[in-house]
Amino acid sequence: MKKLIIGNFKMNTTPSEFKTYAMTLATKARGARNNIVVCPPFTHLSLAKEFLSGSKVAFGAQNISAEESGSFTGEISAKMIKDLGATYVIVGHSDRRGLFKESDKTINKKIKTALANGLKVILCVGESLQIRESKQTQNFVRKQIESVVIAYEPIWAIGTGKTATNKDISKMVEIIRKEIEGQFSAKAGKNITIVYGGSVGLKNYKKIITNESLDGVLMGGACLDVDTFALIARENY
Ligand code: 13P
C-alpha cells in the first residue's frame, strides 16, 4: 500500500545542512512509490524548491499566519510559501498549540487561509479533537477535506521514545473518521488521510506504517537523519 511519509524538522538544521540533506534525499527517493513530504524551517524553503523540484519529494512549511497579509511583524503568509513551491503546511502542531498558545479558532482560520491559497493542510490533533463547523457548502467542504491530512500525535509520545500501540492508534483513527463522517459525510470520513506521529523511527516504523487504518506517518526526530528517512520512505508497505 502506498503510504504518506512526512518529515517535520521542527527548529533543527541550518540552511547549509539542509541543502546537503535535500540533495541526498532527492537521489535516494528515486523510484520510491510512497508520497514523501519534508517540512523544514521557513528559511530552508527556497533551497527545498531548488533541490527537490522534479524529485519524488514534496515540501511544506511547519506553520503559516492565519492572516493573508499586513502588519503582522515576523509572520509568514500562505501566499509566500505557496510562491516558493510549497504544497503542504503543518497546522496545529502540539508545539504551536502548547508553546505558542494557538487556539482551535486560530487553527481553524489557518486551515481556511491555507486551503484558500491552494495548500494541502497537515492538521495535527492531540488527544482532544474539536472540528469546527464550516459554513461552506457540503461539496466545498468535501473538497477541503480532500486537501487535509490529519496527524494524530499523542503529545506524550512526541520525542519521548514511547509510541501508542496499534490498538490505540486504530481506535483513535476510527473516532476521527466517525467524527468527520458525522460532521461532513460517510465518504469524507472514509477518504480523509490520517497519519500517526510520535516517536516513529527505525525501531518501530514497520509495525506502525503497516497498520491498515493509517495512511502514513509524521516523523520528527527520525526524519533528521537522511538515511533513516529515505529508508523508511522508500519501502513498499
Ligand atoms: P518525534 O517523531 O520526534 O516524536 O516527533 C513527532 C512530531 O511531533 C512530528 O511532528
Side-chain angles (χ1 to χ4, degrees):
M1 212 174 142
K2 195 169 166 175
K3 297 281 185 172
L4 176 62
I5 312 293
I6 312 165
N8 172 15
F9 278 56
K10 308 188 183 183
M11 197 173 75
N12 291 298
T13 72
T14 61
S16 327
E17 285 163 354
F18 179 73
K19 182 179 158 183
T20 310
Y21 182 102
M23 288 194 296
T24 311
L25 185 61
T27 309
K28 284 180 183 269
R30 273 186 209 142
R33 62 196 281 275
N34 296 306
N35 292 317
I36 308 167
V37 183
V38 287
C39 299
F42 288 125
T43 43
H44 307 12
L45 292 179
S46 57
L47 289 167
K49 183 179 184 175
E50 195 177 339
F51 295 99
L52 295 175
S53 294
S55 81
K56 280 284 305 173
V57 186
F59 64 93
Q62 298 170 17
N63 181 33
I64 46 158
S65 168
E67 306 297 334
E68 286 286 350
S69 64
S71 189
F72 303 101
T73 304
E75 290 289 274
I76 305 282
S77 75
K79 204 178 195 167
M80 293 171 190
I81 68 160
K82 177 78 182 171
D83 187 67
L84 278 178
T87 41
Y88 286 85
V89 61
I90 297 175
V91 175
H93 192 279
S94 58
D95 290 344
R96 304 290 325 167
R97 292 178 193 259
L99 301 170
F100 302 98
K101 307 284 172 255
E102 284 189 12
S103 65
D104 280 340
K105 201 172 158 202
T106 305
I107 289 164
N108 191 262
K109 199 169 173 197
K110 288 188 177 193
I111 294 170
K112 287 182 178 160
T113 307
L115 294 172
N117 282 280
L119 292 164
K120 291 183 183 170
V121 173
I122 300 161
L123 170 64
C124 296
V125 297
E127 298 300 43
S128 61
L129 175 71
Q130 283 183 340
I131 296 173
R132 300 236 151 206
E133 255 192 25
S134 172
K135 292 192 182 78
Q136 321 291 335
T137 64
Q138 278 210 1
N139 271 345
F140 186 72
V141 171
R142 251 184 233 127
K143 227 173 137 218
Q144 285 193 327
I145 292 289
E146 277 169 21
S147 295
V148 174
V149 173
I150 294 188
Y152 170 50
E153 299 203 305
I155 295 163
W156 52 265
I158 296 175
T160 58
K162 291 183 191 136
T163 52
T165 61
N166 265 328
K167 201 173 152 210
D168 288 341
I169 294 171
S170 303
K171 205 168 147 196
M172 187 51 73
V173 169
E174 195 188 327
I175 290 168
I176 296 169
R177 289 197 196 281
K178 280 249 164 67
E179 184 72 30
I180 292 186
E181 197 179 308
Q183 300 241 7
F184 304 112
S185 69
K187 200 176 157 210
K190 190 171 167 279
N191 291 346
I192 185 103
T193 305
I194 304 178
V195 301
Y196 168 83
S199 297
V200 176
L202 272 183
K203 279 194 192 136
N204 54 23
Y205 73 96
K206 233 175 229 170
K207 215 166 90 193
I208 295 168
I209 297 181
T210 52
N211 178 331
E212 287 191 354
S213 72
L214 282 179
D215 298 300
V217 289
L218 172 55
M219 283 175 275
C223 84
L224 296 173
D225 181 73
V226 72
D227 293 330
T228 301
F229 189 65
L231 185 145
I232 295 173
R234 285 188 55 84
E235 214 158 298
N236 291 341
Y237 300 101

